[in-house]
Amino acid sequence: MAWTSRLISVAVLIALMGCFTGALGNYRRPTRVGVSCCKEVSRARIPATTTLIGYKHQNALSPCVDAIIFYTEREKYCSDPKARWIKDRLKDLEEIMD
């Protein structure tokens, strides 16, 4: 009797393993996305003649650093959020959401 219950337990275990393996076989890994963020910032003022179209606040999460990212039509500027001039440049800009 003990041999039969052991055989049933093994059969159930093999069946469960097959179910999990089958379910995992359909799992697809997400596509890797390269890290595109500010890894360093500048305290230098962005020239007033530069037309900014928006900004985004980036939180520090390694390798990215805490930054305000200002966007133009062609470029982005990684700026130190603690720089004194930042608040003035943010006034008329819309925050860009991901």
Side-chain angles (χ1 to χ4, degrees), residues 28-52:
R28 302 184 91 183
R29 288 182 152 199
T31 304
R32 280 193 166 200
V33 177
V35 175
S36 177
C37 65
C38 296
K39 295 178 183 136
E40 57 185 37
V41 293
S42 172
R43 292 182 76 83
R45 186 180 296 268
I46 297 171
T49 56
T50 302
T51 304
L52 300 174

Side-chain angles (χ1 to χ4, degrees), residues 68-79:
I68 298 293
I69 305 170
F70 288 102
Y71 293 91
T72 68
E73 290 290 333
R74 297 185 188 143
E75 300 179 283
K76 70 177 186 176
Y77 293 90
C78 299
S79 302

Side-chain angles (χ1 to χ4, degrees), residues 76-88:
K76 70 177 186 176
Y77 293 90
C78 299
S79 302
D80 186 341
K82 295 176 187 143
R84 290 182 182 179
W85 58 270
I86 293 288
K87 287 181 184 175
D88 289 335

